[in-house]
């Protein structure tokens, strides 16, 4: 088995998903290039399962091999994965969890410790589910061993991966993504029937049962248009058409004819599902898929996302009862096929069938295409590339903004949107400017926030923070000569910008005893009280593991000494010496959630050394606490949040909002490590977060935070 973790993590981004009504069957015989560790034994389905030993959160050993006749279900996931929590919660609420012939294991594969895994399991998993953890790579390697038997290296998948092991210790299937209890029970039932390759029957109505023109759109005022650019692959269209007609011919059915208008419809639908993938075949504007075409009296649609080739997607469609029925319909005479690849690299596939006469298109190869999609405002989820930290060497560099839409029905789809959709503003044009085409140019060190607003609905926005580090100067003193004055040369080590100051007059005929002072290594107190001013304006900017000291430059000095108070030794320690031109310094490698005391005083070069005054300017400050790792358990109209105590935190603030675009509402300020939210709306998605804070000398220092989205029961 390839043990390349980077490749594995990248493969998770490509989730295999297809609709309308089927579930993936075992693709081991359908997709080429499958990595197989051990072939299936003659006459026995599945693969022999080598025994693996895991460690439970209670410290006991757990074998991957169950008792004879006992089916084992292993859910490989992690504590920050919403799909994992949903799957465990569905299993916990199932009618079969109490069956002694079924054993369920949760295997935490993201190196969470026993305490974190236990808290997660207590929130989402029944006591009947055995939670295991591993701070090495053992569980991850076992997951990939199982994965390699059922997925190709290019086909990908999404967490959790759920392994089904039958009572004969045979690995029968590995499922990908969030699962219902019925999904898993269907696989368990296959084990007991001895048929490991039977396709799952569709859960919905048969293909084509939806009525044409059936629609559930929002009001027109709830819709906006998004424009995106992608690649339409007509070579793949022709390959899919060939495979469709080969499949039909094998059953004696006439070939379908590729139609120009239906192919245009299919390409539009492929672009639409790159923005919104819906299990009920609703379009992004809320209307049914059949509204995309007005042709014929019979309509049907197949869609899929993430498959890398025509062979792969057709193998999946043919293995699913609902999709196969559409392909083999004796009512269909014409077909349109779409293959749209957005800037995220994901292929979006569609087949659109009807019974109207066909006019064949004259298209081949691939072409770049711009598509406009009407979408409900509530589905628009704009994202940028996140905070950009740049060195001053990037000054003057033009950086195009990368604005993406996160598909709410398929998280791995994140196609880029054209700048023409948006207006752009900079919070600090002196630091960064932005053009109407979304190109950012860094003008100077500092921080600027670029706000991206949708032209059609300016309240829909995204932000990207650009930070350019201050110049990092090194100083060199140039001695005067008989004909030229001396000076101090300051050169940035990053971008090589330089400037001069501290000029010394040229020597006069060689008779003067003066020379350039190169600076000594001694520090002494100046006896001329008041001749060196106290440093003013000392302030701090706190990070999690660092504190930036800022101050006003002091006239008539050559530099600054910075000190940190050692509480154990009860004495000051000098931590840095800076030049006169600096007005900030970042202290790194500090402890999170910890109080500190710093001081600064200026010095002047004199008589081959440095002199300074006894008085100094000091300031109390603290680092930010660590972010809170919390879990949410939902109930009927309520939710309970729990978390571990955060080191150094004085207390916690609990926030809530009903939609991602809403502002956070503060629910509570507490010193407890749990909070119970009541009077919530059942069936509604909402977001929670918990933020730690530390109080030091009357000032609060807040941790970063992350949102968790849940559905209220």
């Amino acid at each position: 088995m390839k043990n390349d973790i980077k490749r594995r993590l990248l493969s998770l981004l490509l989730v295999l998903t297809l609709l309308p009504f089927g579930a993936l069957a075992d693709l081991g015989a359908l997709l080429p290039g499958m990595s197989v560790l051990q072939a299936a034994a003659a006459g026995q389905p599945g693969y022999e399962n080598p025994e693996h030993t895991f460690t439970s959160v209670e410290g006991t050993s757990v074998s991957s091999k169950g008792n004879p006749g006992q089916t084992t279900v292993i859910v490989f996931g992690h504590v920050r994965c919403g799909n994992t929590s949903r799957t465990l919660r569905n299993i916990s609420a199932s009618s079969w969890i109490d069956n002694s012939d079924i054993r369920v294991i949760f295997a935490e594969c993201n190196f969470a410790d026993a305490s974190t895994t236990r808290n997660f399991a207590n929130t989402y998993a029944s006591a009947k589910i055995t939670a295991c953890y591993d701070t090495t790579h053992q569980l991850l390697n076992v997951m990939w061993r199982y994965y390699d038997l059922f997925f190709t290296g290019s086909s990908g998948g999404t967490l959790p991966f759920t392994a089904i092991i039958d009572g004969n210790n045979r690995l029968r299937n590995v499922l990908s993504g969030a699962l219902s209890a019925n999904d898993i029970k269907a696989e368990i039932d296959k084990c007991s029937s001895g048929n490991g390759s039977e396709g799952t029957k569709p859960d919905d109505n048969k293909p084509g049962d939806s009525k044409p023109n059936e629609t559930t759109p929002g009001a027109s005022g709830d819709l906006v248009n998004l424009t995106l650019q992608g690649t339409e692959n007509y070579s793949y269209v022709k390959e899919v058409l060939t495979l469709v007609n080969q499949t039909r011919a094998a059953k004696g059915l006439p070939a379908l004819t590729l139609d120009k208008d239906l192919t245009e419809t299919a390409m539009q639908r492929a672009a639409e599902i790159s923005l919104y993938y819906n299990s009920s075949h609703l379009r992004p504007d809320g209307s049914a898929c059949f509204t995309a075409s007005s042709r014929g009296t019979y309509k049907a649609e197949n869609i899929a996302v993430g498959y890398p080739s025509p062979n792969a997607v057709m193998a999946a469609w043919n293995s699913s009862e609902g999709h196969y029925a559409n392909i083999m319909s004796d009512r269909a005479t014409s077909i349109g096929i779409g293959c749209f690849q957005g800037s995220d690299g994901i292929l979006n596939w569609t087949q659109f069938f009807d019974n109207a006469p066909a006019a064949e298109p004259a298209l081949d190869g691939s072409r770049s295409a711009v598509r406009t999609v009407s979408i409900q405002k509530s589905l628009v989820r704009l994202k940028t590339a996140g905070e950009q930290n740049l060195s001053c060497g990037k000054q003057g560099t033009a950086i195009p903004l990368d604005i993406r839409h996160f598909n709410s029905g398929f998280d791995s789809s994140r196609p880029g949107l054209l700048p023409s959709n948006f207006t752009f503003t900079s919070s600090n044009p002196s630091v960064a400017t932005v053009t109407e085409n979304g190109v950012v140019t860094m003008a100077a060190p500092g921080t600027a926030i670029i706000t991206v607003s949708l032209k059609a609905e300016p309240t829909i926005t995204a932000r990207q923070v650009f930070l350019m580090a201050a110049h990092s100067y090194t100083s060199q003193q140039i001695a005067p000569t008989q004909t030229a004055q001396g000076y101090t040369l300051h050169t940035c080590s990053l971008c090589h910008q330089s400037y001069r100051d501290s000029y010394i007059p040229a020597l006069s005929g060689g008779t003067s005893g003066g020379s350039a002072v190169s600076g000594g290594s001694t520090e002494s107190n100046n006896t001329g009280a008041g001749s060196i001013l106290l440093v003013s304006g000392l302030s701090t900017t706190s990070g999690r593991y660092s504190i930036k000291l800022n101050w006003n430059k002091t006239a008539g000095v050559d530099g600054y000494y910075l000190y940190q108070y050692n509480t154990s030794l009860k004495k000051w320690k000098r931590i840095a010496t800076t030049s006169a031109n600096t007005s900030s310094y970042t202290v790194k490698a500090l402890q999170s959630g910890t109080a500190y005391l710093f001081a600064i005083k200026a010095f002047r070069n004199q008589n081959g050394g440095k002199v300074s005054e006894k008085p100094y300017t000091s300031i109390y400050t603290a680092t930010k606490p660590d972010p809170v790792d919390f879990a949410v358990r939902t109930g009927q109209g309520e939710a309970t949040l729990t978390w571990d105590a955060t080191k150094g935190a004085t207390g916690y603030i609990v926030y809530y909002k009903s939609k991602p675009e809403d502002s956070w509402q503060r629910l509570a300020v507490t010193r407890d490590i749990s909070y119970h939210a009541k009077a919530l709306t059942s069936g509604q998605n909402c977001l929670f977060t918990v933020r730690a804070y530390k109080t030091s000398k009357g000032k609060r220092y807040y941790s970063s935070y992350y949102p968790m989205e849940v559905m209220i029961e």
Side-chain angles (χ1 to χ4, degrees):
M1 181 183 68
K2 300 179 180 70
N3 188 20
D4 183 344
I5 300 302
K6 183 178 180 181
R7 175 179 70 83
R8 303 299 196 175
L9 294 177
L10 288 174
S11 74
L12 295 181
L13 297 178
L14 195 59
V15 184
L16 300 184
T17 309
L18 58 117
L19 290 173
F21 307 117
L24 283 178
D26 179 1
L27 300 185
L30 299 174
L31 299 184
M34 188 117 357
S35 175
V36 176
L37 296 182
Q38 181 178 348
Q44 296 188 53
Y47 302 88
E48 182 66 28
N49 175 44
E51 184 169 10
H52 304 288
T53 302
F54 311 143
T55 302
S56 76
V57 295
E58 308 304 331
T60 59
S61 295
V62 179
S63 174
S64 64
K65 182 177 180 180
N67 297 326
Q70 184 181 50
T71 300
T72 297
V73 177
I74 306 178
V75 181
F76 293 95
H78 69 82
V79 298
R80 292 286 183 87
C81 174
N83 285 344
T84 300
S85 60
R86 283 195 293 273
T87 299
L88 293 176
R89 186 164 56 187
N90 291 341
I91 294 173
S92 299
S94 70
S95 59
W96 50 264
I97 187 63
D98 294 322
N99 189 335
S100 60
D101 290 333
I102 301 174
R103 184 176 64 126
V104 182
I105 298 170
F106 164 53
E108 208 295 326
C109 296
N110 199 36
F111 317 122
D113 58 22
S115 176
T116 302
T117 305
R118 183 187 300 107
N119 289 340
F120 177 81
N122 287 342
T123 302
Y124 297 105
S126 161
K128 299 287 185 179
I129 299 176
T130 303
C132 297
Y133 77 104
D134 171 35
T135 56
T136 66
H137 290 89
Q138 183 207 7
L139 284 175
L140 195 61
N141 286 337
V142 173
M143 181 186 80
W144 291 130
R145 175 181 288 271
Y146 290 162
Y147 170 96
D148 271 340
L149 295 171
F150 292 90
F151 295 85
T152 65
S154 62
S155 62
T158 186
L159 288 176
F161 291 114
T162 301
I164 311 296
I165 302 166
D166 68 18
N168 295 319
N169 197 39
R170 307 283 300 175
L171 180 66
R172 298 288 291 273
N173 205 353
V174 175
L175 309 174
S176 170
L179 299 171
S180 69
N182 289 337
D183 292 334
I184 298 172
K185 186 59 165 61
E187 295 298 318
I188 294 172
D189 291 342
K190 291 178 191 178
C191 294
S192 60
S193 68
N195 185 349
S197 60
E198 178 186 359
T200 305
K201 293 183 178 180
D203 296 325
D204 298 336
N205 296 327
K206 293 181 180 180
D209 281 354
S210 297
K211 297 178 180 179
N213 301 321
E214 180 181 355
T215 179
T216 55
S220 59
D222 294 332
L223 304 177
V224 292
N225 288 336
L226 296 182
T227 305
L228 69 163
Q229 187 170 19
T231 300
E232 296 175 348
N233 194 321
Y234 291 93
S235 294
Y236 278 2
V237 166
K238 291 187 175 180
E239 289 185 45
V240 170
L241 176 66
T242 298
L243 294 169
V244 165
N245 286 330
Q246 286 175 353
T247 303
R248 290 174 63 88
K251 298 295 184 181
L253 292 172
L256 300 179
T257 303
L258 187 68
D259 178 72
K260 178 181 178 181
D261 291 339
L262 277 189
T263 296
E264 168 62 22
T265 296
M267 284 295 184
Q268 178 66 21
R269 286 288 294 127
E272 290 178 359
I273 66 173
S274 75
L275 295 181
Y276 179 54
Y277 192 89
N278 180 267
S279 60
S280 299
H281 287 253
L282 293 180
R283 303 176 70 186
D285 65 0
S287 61
C289 65
F290 304 118
T291 63
S293 172
S294 60
R295 289 167 42 97
T297 58
Y298 165 82
K299 296 182 178 70
E301 178 185 80
N302 287 342
I303 59 178
V305 178
Y307 290 87
S309 68
N311 281 328
V313 73
M314 276 300 297
W317 275 331
N318 283 338
S319 71
S320 165
E321 183 178 343
H323 304 84
Y324 182 74
N326 281 344
I327 293 168
M328 303 300 288
S329 172
D330 58 3
R331 298 178 62 191
T333 59
S334 301
I335 185 173
I337 300 169
C339 178
F340 181 88
Q341 184 177 39
S343 60
D344 55 5
I346 291 178
L347 293 174
N348 303 273
W349 303 87
T350 56
Q351 292 176 329
F352 209 99
F353 307 85
D354 75 9
N355 59 352
E360 296 187 41
L363 295 169
D364 202 357
S366 297
R367 70 174 186 180
S368 177
V370 174
R371 293 276 173 180
T372 299
V373 175
S374 180
I375 186 170
Q376 297 174 77
K377 294 177 184 178
S378 61
L379 299 176
V380 179
R381 301 164 67 191
L382 301 181
K383 298 289 184 181
T384 62
E387 185 175 291
Q388 294 283 305
N389 291 282
L390 307 168
S391 72
C392 54
K394 294 293 185 180
Q395 190 166 327
T397 301
I399 306 169
L401 288 169
D402 184 12
I403 309 156
R404 295 181 177 268
H405 166 80
F406 275 34
N407 190 323
S408 60
F410 185 70
D411 282 342
S412 294
S413 283
R414 302 173 182 184
L417 301 175
L418 292 179
S420 57
N421 290 286
F422 308 104
T423 57
F424 307 93
T425 55
S426 171
S427 67
N428 194 348
S430 64
V431 171
T433 61
V434 60
T435 69
E436 63 180 8
N437 294 322
V439 178
V440 176
T441 301
M442 300 304 298
T447 301
I449 300 173
I450 306 299
T451 300
V452 180
S453 303
L454 191 63
K455 288 179 180 178
E457 180 51 75
T459 61
I460 299 177
T461 63
R463 300 193 318 160
Q464 185 163 359
V465 179
F466 286 83
L467 300 98
M468 178 174 282
H471 295 293
S472 178
Y473 290 107
T474 57
S475 300
Q476 178 186 8
Q477 292 183 332
I478 308 299
T481 67
Q482 296 289 339
T483 58
Q485 63 183 346
Y487 56 88
T488 300
L489 176 65
H490 305 276
T491 304
C492 178
S493 60
L494 300 175
C495 68
H496 309 297
Q497 176 180 310
S498 64
Y499 70 95
R500 301 176 181 184
D501 64 7
S502 302
Y503 290 98
I504 302 173
L507 302 176
S508 55
T511 58
S512 171
S515 63
V517 178
S518 61
S521 60
T522 61
E523 175 184 350
S524 61
N525 290 320
N526 189 9
T527 56
S531 60
I532 299 179
L533 298 175
L534 282 172
V535 177
S536 65
L538 182 59
S539 64
T540 62
T541 304
S542 294
R544 186 177 174 186
Y545 302 117
S546 64
I547 291 176
K548 184 178 181 182
L549 303 173
N550 308 281
W551 61 88
N552 298 329
K553 292 181 181 178
T554 304
V557 303
D558 295 306
Y560 306 91
Y561 292 127
L562 300 172
Y563 301 85
Q564 179 179 334
Y565 190 72
N566 188 315
T567 55
S568 299
L569 300 178
K570 299 187 182 302
K571 60 187 298 186
W572 291 99
K573 177 183 177 182
R574 194 168 80 191
I575 57 175
T577 302
T578 69
S579 67
N581 187 60
T582 59
S583 59
S584 66
Y585 180 82
T586 300
V587 186
K588 301 179 180 179
L590 301 175
Q591 298 293 317
S592 60
T594 305
Y596 289 94
L597 175 60
F598 296 99
I600 185 172
K601 60 180 177 179
F603 66 80
R604 182 182 299 134
N605 296 328
Q606 183 174 313
N607 299 325
K610 294 179 172 64
V611 295
S612 61
E613 300 286 350
K614 286 185 177 181
Y616 55 82
T617 304
S618 63
I619 190 168
Y620 286 95
T621 187
T623 50
K624 295 179 178 180
D626 294 331
V628 179
D629 189 2
F630 68 99
V632 183
R633 181 196 292 271
T634 62
Q636 188 72 31
E638 60 185 16
T640 300
L641 289 74
T642 57
W643 58 90
D644 292 332
T646 300
K647 183 187 70 173
T650 304
Y652 308 88
I653 306 176
V654 182
Y655 296 91
Y656 160 91
K657 59 181 176 179
S658 58
K659 298 178 182 178
E661 63 269 24
D662 290 346
S663 299
W664 287 108
Q665 302 177 37
R666 189 168 73 178
L667 295 180
V669 179
T670 180
R671 295 193 177 189
D672 295 330
I673 56 173
S674 66
Y675 178 78
H676 187 200
K678 301 179 181 179
L680 303 175
T681 303
S682 295
Q684 176 181 323
N685 283 339
C686 61
L687 297 93
F688 292 94
T689 194
V690 181
R691 196 174 193 183
Y693 69 87
K694 178 179 181 62
T695 302
S696 178
K697 300 295 181 180
K699 182 178 178 180
R700 282 185 177 179
Y701 301 83
Y702 297 92
S703 72
S704 59
Y705 60 94
Y706 65 91
M708 183 178 295
E709 186 171 1
V710 297
M711 175 178 285
I712 306 302
E713 296 178 0

